[in-house]
Amino acid sequence: MNLLFWGLTPLIVGYVMNTWLLQNHSSILPFTAIGLVFLAFWAFVGFITSRKDRTLLKSAFITNTTAFIVLLLIVYQEILLEKFWLNLFGTATQFYYLPLFNLSASILGTFTHITTFAIHTWSAALVGFCLLFVSYYIGGLMKKRFYSAKA
């Protein structure tokens, strides 16, 4: 399957999470668990999509291109415009990192000793991007080790 297609997966998961929350106002989702499961899934994506004819780093860059573009859009909207667009692109950028937002905010809070309320969307998205990239890369490394052990 196309690596860029896999890069849209976080948007789909974030949209589903947002839809669930809007329809079930009194429910609470296990956000940290969702983030960890999603990272495990992203490592699995790295495992199944990395190939011998392409370097692992190149595969990781291609698959996470969408994540990087979304990160740039978030930085542009939050830092330069100081507001999110009230259209599909403004909403989609916020949905994209939603599966990892709680996990990213926890990591930022641990290292910076700030509360979740002081964490900006762009910084959580940056940590989310790093988590996506690293987990994909780890999945690809696992595939290389798996097949080198079989040989």
Side-chain angles (χ1 to χ4, degrees):
M1 225 188 288
N2 190 343
L3 292 178
L4 290 174
F5 171 77
W6 282 106
L8 295 174
T9 309
L11 177 63
I12 296 165
V13 173
Y15 177 78
V16 169
M17 287 175 64
N18 183 66
T19 303
W20 170 265
L21 289 169
L22 289 176
Q23 293 175 353
N24 302 291
H25 296 288
S26 62
S27 68
I28 298 174
L29 291 175
F31 291 106
T32 303
I34 290 171
L36 292 172
V37 168
F38 189 78
L39 288 176
F41 167 75
W42 206 244
F44 178 70
V45 169
F47 185 87
I48 63 172
T49 61
S50 61
R51 300 187 325 219
K52 290 183 180 184
D53 63 336
R54 184 183 314 132
T55 66
L56 179 55
L57 194 58
K58 185 176 180 181
S59 293
F61 277 120
I62 293 170
T63 306
N64 290 294
T65 297
T66 307
F68 185 70
I69 292 169
V70 170
L71 175 62
L72 291 177
L73 287 171
I74 288 173
V75 168
Y76 176 75
Q77 291 175 91
E78 189 171 5
I79 294 177
L80 296 177
L81 296 179
E82 297 181 348
K83 64 179 179 178
F84 282 91
W85 293 318
L86 299 174
N87 59 20
L88 178 64
F89 292 108
T91 306
T93 55
Q94 294 176 64
F95 289 166
Y96 194 88
Y97 286 104
L98 186 58
L100 298 173
F101 193 82
N102 186 273
L103 196 57
S104 298
S106 298
I107 291 169
L108 282 171
T110 300
F111 290 112
T112 60
H113 305 294
I114 57 177
T115 64
T116 305
F117 298 107
I119 293 173
H120 298 283
T121 304
W122 72 267
S123 58
L126 178 62
V127 171
F129 174 77
C130 293
L131 290 171
L132 286 174
F133 195 90
V134 168
S135 63
Y136 182 93
Y137 198 85
I138 288 171
L141 284 176
M142 289 171 47
K143 182 176 185 174
K144 285 186 180 218
R145 296 222 173 149
F146 177 75
Y147 285 113
S148 66
K150 284 182 118 181

